[in-house]
Amino acid sequence: MIRDTLVEISDALVANPIRALLTMAGVFWGTLILIAMLGFAEGIEQATIKTMRGSVTNAVFVWGGRTRLPYRGRRPGRRVKYALSDIPVLTAIEGVKHLSPRSQLGGYRDGIAVTRGTEVGAFQITGDVPNFRHVQAVEWDAGRFINDLDVADRRKVAVIGDQVYRQLWPDGGDPIGQTIAIQGIHFQVIGHFHSATGDDRGDRDEQTIHVPLSTYLSAFRQGDVVEWWAFIVEDGFSSEAVEVEVKKALAERHDVHPKDAVALGSYNAEKEYRRIQSLFLGIRGLTWLVGIATLLSGAIGVSNVLLIVVRERTPEIGVRRAIGATPSAIVFMIALEALVMTSMAGMAGIVMGTLLLEAAAVAIGPDNLSMGQPYIHWSATVGTAALLGFAGLVAGYLPARRAVAIEPVDALRSE
């Protein structure tokens, strides 16, 4: 029975090729658009994740800003600066792990002059402790990071990012053991790294020179000032809750009004990561919503054409009913025709969409971190195929009901 029905459907499509092609065009374009949108969204998501692969997602950074509210006799506009004496208080907070006090000379766009022989560059100088290696995941080209002895002995040693190396060593060579001068003070290079991320954060990291915090404070006469804190949140603790407790403790110690949100700035990597995940979840949902709407509009076109087909085949349906065809057989025939038409158009859309994504991936290239290489996951293809089946059933529902409602006598009389 199914074979005979498929032969009849094939004959009908061949007999009216233009009508069949125009009918299936809507489903074809809907499927093509859905596959393309899913593929490009997947590529952008993977590119974003790739740029974050060197980040530690449970890291939190807290820095001092300017107060806006008076508190405990202190006027607003005061710059909040932390101190080494805050360390015992912060390490006692549950959930704080690998606490790293940090101070800095210069910035990403406004560096401090550093020389090596006749080579000169402007870079960001940070005073760090060994714990910071847990906060910033990097890939080592040579040497090591700062250790406890470097801090205890106030050694004049430095760890350089890759862009520092490229500018001060334009001819290449091993930087380990060589000397650089920061504001006239000589430091021996003990480590060379490059960032694992591909965004602005990675560029900033590679333009940084790390020196022991104790050496930094004494060499550059910074007293015991700590400009910001970096720490890892222990597993099992909420990063947002720990962040709140840290800021609360710092506000209490440095006379900051509890409601002065600007005085203590912070960045929560886990919160940002969740925000990005939610963003791409929303993009995927919107993509499927648009795709479903487009496919259903194509299915409505198929349904309208099948209504015309049912009207044209009314005498045939009457004959079938008269010789004993059951209503379910008539429904099956019309539904199968709708399913065949939507499936053929949909599969063509899937193939064309996949080829389009392959061509786009070649054009974009593997190193494009802003777009990423688009591709379609097998699960999305399966989901699209299931959606096509549903669209086919939707398209055949109304024509099938119309066909079943035709009385055999009326159908034969219309002949």
Side-chain angles (χ1 to χ4, degrees):
M1 176 180 176
I2 295 179
R3 180 180 178 183
D4 294 339
T5 304
L6 289 176
V7 170
E8 291 178 5
I9 293 172
S10 176
D11 293 339
L13 294 178
V14 171
N16 297 280
I18 296 179
R19 184 170 71 180
L21 290 175
L22 292 176
T23 302
M24 295 187 291
V27 177
F28 169 79
W29 283 110
T31 308
L32 175 62
I33 291 171
L34 176 60
I35 292 295
M37 291 176 64
L38 288 172
F40 279 103
E42 187 72 27
I44 294 173
E45 181 176 359
Q46 292 303 316
T48 303
I49 293 174
K50 186 177 180 180
T51 61
M52 296 182 67
R53 75 177 187 270
S55 302
V56 181
T57 56
N58 60 342
V60 178
F61 301 84
V62 179
W63 59 85
R66 291 191 179 275
T67 59
R68 289 191 176 181
L69 299 175
Y71 189 62
R72 291 178 179 173
R74 292 177 174 261
R75 294 181 178 181
R78 172 175 55 93
R79 180 75 178 181
V80 179
K81 292 187 177 181
Y82 308 121
L84 293 176
S85 57
D86 296 330
I87 293 177
V89 176
L90 298 183
T91 53
I93 297 175
E94 284 190 320
V96 173
K97 184 179 180 181
H98 301 310
L99 181 69
S100 300
R102 307 191 74 198
S103 284
Q104 173 182 308
L105 290 176
Y108 177 37
R109 303 296 183 185
D110 182 23
I112 298 299
V114 179
T115 61
R116 172 188 165 265
T118 58
E119 305 296 338
V120 181
F123 308 106
Q124 178 176 278
I125 315 300
T126 61
D128 287 302
V129 296
N131 272 346
F132 189 68
R133 71 181 184 274
H134 300 289
V135 178
Q136 180 187 38
V138 298
E139 296 178 3
W140 290 97
D141 297 300
R144 61 174 177 84
F145 194 62
I146 297 163
N147 61 28
D148 292 328
L149 286 177
D150 296 328
V151 176
D153 297 342
R154 298 185 179 182
R155 294 174 177 173
K156 291 185 174 64
V157 293
V159 179
I160 62 174
D162 191 55
Q163 294 191 33
V164 178
Y165 168 75
R166 292 176 182 272
Q167 191 162 345
L168 296 184
W169 278 266
D171 299 327
D174 186 5
I176 305 302
Q178 299 193 41
T179 301
I180 59 175
I182 306 173
Q183 292 188 341
I185 303 173
H186 290 82
F187 290 80
Q188 185 181 52
V189 176
I190 61 171
H192 167 214
F193 68 90
H194 68 271
S195 175
T197 66
D199 55 4
D200 288 341
R201 183 174 59 255
D203 289 339
R204 182 171 61 250
D205 292 342
E206 290 187 355
Q207 293 187 33
T208 299
I209 298 175
H210 303 270
V211 302
L213 179 61
S214 57
T215 308
Y216 173 97
L217 296 176
S218 61
F220 302 118
R221 300 179 181 180
Q222 300 295 312
D224 67 342
V225 174
V226 174
E227 295 185 4
W228 80 92
W229 307 90
F231 60 90
I232 300 297
V233 177
E234 288 188 21
D235 294 338
F237 286 85
S238 166
S239 64
E240 294 183 48
V242 175
E243 177 188 351
V244 169
E245 289 300 318
V246 168
K247 293 173 73 172
K248 182 178 178 181
L250 291 171
E252 177 66 24
R253 286 182 58 81
H254 296 278
D255 299 329
V256 175
H257 196 286
K259 296 183 179 180
D260 195 344
V262 180
L264 276 69
S266 61
Y267 172 81
N268 190 317
E270 183 178 351
K271 186 192 300 183
E272 182 68 13
Y273 185 70
R274 288 202 306 268
R275 186 187 69 81
I276 291 175
Q277 285 184 315
S278 299
L279 173 63
F280 281 106
L281 181 62
I283 291 175
R284 283 196 295 269
L286 179 62
T287 300
W288 278 106
L289 182 63
V290 172
I292 290 171
T294 307
L295 281 178
L296 288 180
S297 66
I300 291 172
V302 174
S303 181
N304 288 333
V305 171
L306 285 178
L307 285 172
I308 298 174
V309 171
V310 168
R311 188 179 301 115
E312 292 175 347
R313 297 171 62 182
T314 297
E316 176 193 335
I317 294 173
V319 172
R320 288 175 180 268
R321 294 292 304 277
I323 62 176
T326 62
S328 61
I330 300 298
V331 169
F332 177 77
M333 178 184 68
I334 301 299
L336 184 60
E337 185 168 352
L339 190 60
V340 167
M341 294 178 70
T342 54
S343 297
M344 289 175 60
M347 292 307 166
I350 291 175
V351 172
M352 187 62 68
T354 304
L355 292 176
L356 176 64
L357 293 177
E358 291 291 335
V362 173
I364 291 172
D367 299 324
N368 191 319
L369 295 178
S370 60
M371 279 291 295
Q373 289 193 297
Y375 74 98
I376 188 71
H377 195 269
W378 67 267
S379 59
T381 305
V382 172
T384 304
L387 186 58
L388 285 169
F390 174 74
L393 295 177
V394 170
Y397 174 72
L398 187 59
R401 286 193 58 183
R402 178 69 59 86
V404 170
I406 298 174
E407 293 293 336
V409 175
D410 296 334
L412 292 172
R413 187 180 297 133
S414 67
E415 183 67 35

